[in-house]
Amino acid sequence: MTTKRESEILLFGILPLAKKMLKEYGEFHPYGGYLDCEGKIVEVGVDDPDTEYPKGRDLVYVLKSRFREMASANECKAVAVVFNVIVTLPDSENKSDAIQVSIEHVDGYSAEVFLPYRISDGEVAYRDVFSQEGKHDIFESS
């Protein structure tokens, strides 16, 4: 199986939780997931024991730190961090809320995937997905 395909399997395996949370609550806290060495998807939640209302960026930092430790111990072959952002839509000046999934694979593949959305009258409407090259900051020392 290709590196990109394994990354897509992880993406499609963990993205539904964000969609479910948006539909039910209109928001979601950052979370992540990884593909273990046997190819099984494992979802990972995170919290901040110091506060009931943690900042999203702090949770993303904790997730990425945990994934770096796992990567250096060869406990996973792909990781994904899911969080909410505001993005400028492609070929436009317009901004939109979006689910961002940062995916990175041990074999060098890395992508930032964006799923823009709008919530109106309690309904979530999604726009076209777009992506860009990722940061390569999880498996960098592997």
Side-chain angles (χ1 to χ4, degrees), residues 27-46:
E27 64 182 0
F28 66 95
H29 290 290
Y31 67 96
Y34 64 93
L35 210 56
D36 70 12
C37 295
E38 285 77 45
K40 179 182 171 202
I41 296 172
V42 180
E43 290 184 352
V44 178
V46 67

Side-chain angles (χ1 to χ4, degrees), residues 10-53:
L10 178 58
L11 169 68
F12 296 128
I14 67 166
L15 186 58
L17 178 59
K19 289 178 156 184
K20 178 182 179 194
M21 299 303 281
L22 282 175
K23 183 176 181 174
E24 292 181 14
Y25 305 106
E27 64 182 0
F28 66 95
H29 290 290
Y31 67 96
Y34 64 93
L35 210 56
D36 70 12
C37 295
E38 285 77 45
K40 179 182 171 202
I41 296 172
V42 180
E43 290 184 352
V44 178
V46 67
D47 61 3
D48 183 344
D50 297 331
T51 178
E52 189 174 333
Y53 303 103

